[in-house]
């Protein structure tokens, strides 16, 4: 993808800029997943870092009349600048998080039926019901505060606390009909699935801001 190429070019530029400066690596975990950072000191009060984090886990989702098996898949490349306005480890951080965060959902019948748009269908009437909820911005601005610098000398602790401006998430949902379902009923199922998608979209439309909280350990040299 274009943003991956851009990140690699940026990493090379950072490496060149930080060749004669302090540098370090960090390992961290938090709300963006498990991963790490490479950091470079650009000037006494400013550092740059490039990192990646990812994670996948499953949970039940029940935001409409349909119950879903959901799998959250996190994949984030961060390109950040750390500014320390005062002597010490406190800093202000800004930049971009290039993400492919999404939730894959698979509907499951409740009591042997699916309820779509207020209409109950036998489980056999729907072959499959699945979809995806994705972040609105694949290149999401980030702003936060933190403690500790990846480019600091020695072994250090660091954390980040901020917000990723991911935009309005988008929901897509599709279904297949059972083999014995008449065409007219299948058409109605598709209309009700479209209505269910709209309801799901309404439920998630307010989640424009993704909280970021990460903690880790750095080794600088």
């Amino acid at each position: 993808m274009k943003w991956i190429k851009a990140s690699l070019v940026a990493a090379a530029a950072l490496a060149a800029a930080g060749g004669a400066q302090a540098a370090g690596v960090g390992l961290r975990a938090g709300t963006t997943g498990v991963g790490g950072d490479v950091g470079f000191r650009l000037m006494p009060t400013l550092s740059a870092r490039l990192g990646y984090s990812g994670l996948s886990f499953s949970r039940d989702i029940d935001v409409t009349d349909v119950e879903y098996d959901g799998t959250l898949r996190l994949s984030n490349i961060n390109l950040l600048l750390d500014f320390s306005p005062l002597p010490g480890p406190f800093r202000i951080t800004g930049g971009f998080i290039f993400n492919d965060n999404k939730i894959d959902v698979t509907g499951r019948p409740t009591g042997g039926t699916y309820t779509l748009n207020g209409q109950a269908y036998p489980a056999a009437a729907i072959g499959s019901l699945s979809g995806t909820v994705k972040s609105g911005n694949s290149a999401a601005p980030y702003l936060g505060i933190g403690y500790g610098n990846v480019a600091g000398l020695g072994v250090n602790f660091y954390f980040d606390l901020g917000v990723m401006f991911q935009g309005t998430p988008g929901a897509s949902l599709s279904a297949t009909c059972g083999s014995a379902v008449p065409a007219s009923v299948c058409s109605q199922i598709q209309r009700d699935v479209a209505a269910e998608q709209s309801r799901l979209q309404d439920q998630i439309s307010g989640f424009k801001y993704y909280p970021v909280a990460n903690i880790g350990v750095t080794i600088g040299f």
Side-chain angles (χ1 to χ4, degrees):
M1 294 183 178
K2 291 182 179 180
W3 58 267
I4 294 178
K5 294 180 181 178
S7 297
L8 294 176
V9 170
L14 290 178
Q21 307 293 331
V25 295
L27 297 176
R28 57 179 166 80
T31 59
T32 59
V34 177
D37 297 290
V38 177
F40 302 95
R41 183 71 56 80
L42 301 178
M43 58 183 64
T45 59
L46 186 67
S47 297
R49 59 182 154 125
L50 175 70
Y52 175 80
S53 57
L55 190 66
S56 177
F57 65 91
S58 300
R59 58 161 297 176
D60 295 339
I61 299 173
D62 184 11
V63 295
T64 64
D65 292 335
V66 179
E67 293 185 1
Y68 296 94
D69 295 322
T71 300
L72 174 63
R73 305 183 191 278
L74 298 175
S75 180
N76 296 281
I77 292 177
N78 56 271
L79 185 59
L80 305 173
L81 290 175
D82 296 322
F83 173 63
S84 301
L86 301 171
F90 173 79
R91 56 180 162 74
I92 300 170
T93 298
F96 287 89
I97 299 179
F98 303 93
N99 72 91
D100 188 27
N101 297 331
K102 61 183 178 180
I103 303 173
D104 292 327
V105 297
T106 302
R108 64 172 185 264
T110 303
T113 63
Y114 289 96
T115 301
L116 298 169
N117 197 30
Q119 177 66 44
Y121 294 97
I126 298 178
S128 65
L129 176 63
S130 61
T132 302
V133 176
K134 297 193 67 173
S135 169
N137 295 327
S138 59
Y142 171 81
L143 183 63
I145 59 173
Y147 180 97
N149 283 290
V150 175
L153 294 176
V155 178
N156 297 285
F157 154 85
Y158 78 120
F159 79 83
D160 288 285
L161 185 65
V163 176
M164 177 169 61
F165 298 87
Q166 66 177 2
T168 302
S172 62
L173 198 63
S174 63
T176 61
C177 300
S179 58
V181 174
S184 59
V185 175
C186 187
S187 296
Q188 183 60 50
I189 289 174
Q190 299 303 327
R191 289 192 291 270
D192 288 334
V193 168
E196 171 69 10
Q197 176 178 303
S198 296
R199 293 183 65 190
L200 182 60
Q201 182 66 56
D202 289 341
Q203 292 290 331
I204 65 174
S205 61
F207 295 97
K208 300 178 181 179
Y209 312 103
Y210 187 89
V212 174
N214 289 313
I215 186 169
V217 176
T218 72
I219 301 176
F221 45 88

